[in-house]
């Protein structure tokens, strides 16, 4: 899948969770959603996007969720 499409999808997930009052919990929920519904190859691709390109097109809450809960978990 194209990275651009993954970024759009991840940001859509972020749109849903960013309205939650607890930002820490929102980040956990975003990461859990990616773990539950995205294939490992998709998660690996979005992680690689952050690690190699900085993930500048991701919403800050999404980028942080991935860094805290997916990259740190590896």
């Amino acid at each position: 899948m194209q990275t651009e499409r993954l970024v759009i999808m991840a940001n859509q997930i972020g749109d849903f969770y960013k309205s939650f009052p607890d930002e820490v919990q929102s980040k956990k929920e975003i990461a859990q959603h990616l773990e539950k519904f995205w294939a490992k190859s998709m998660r690996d691709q979005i992680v690689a996007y952050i690690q190699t390109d900085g993930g500048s097109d991701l919403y800050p809450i999404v980028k942080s969720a991935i860094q805290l809960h997916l990259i740190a978990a590896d």
Side-chain angles (χ1 to χ4, degrees):
M1 183 172 285
Q2 290 185 345
T3 302
E4 291 173 357
R5 183 68 188 134
L6 292 177
V7 168
I8 290 168
M9 291 167 54
N11 284 338
Q12 287 173 334
I13 295 164
D15 276 336
F16 178 78
Y17 288 107
K18 73 180 180 186
S19 64
F20 283 31
D22 184 346
E23 186 174 325
V24 172
Q25 186 62 34
S26 293
K27 291 176 185 179
K28 287 179 186 176
E29 296 286 341
I30 291 167
Q32 287 174 349
H33 183 96
L34 296 176
E35 286 280 343
K36 186 173 182 179
F37 296 107
W38 282 29
K40 182 168 179 359
S41 60
M42 294 166 67
R43 294 190 310 268
D44 290 346
Q45 192 172 344
I46 202 79
V47 165
Y49 168 66
I50 290 172
Q51 292 176 326
T52 60
D53 296 326
S56 61
D57 292 330
L58 288 168
Y59 294 161
I61 194 169
V62 174
K63 183 177 174 181
S64 180
I66 293 168
Q67 290 171 317
L68 290 170
H69 300 288
L70 296 183
I71 294 175
D74 283 345

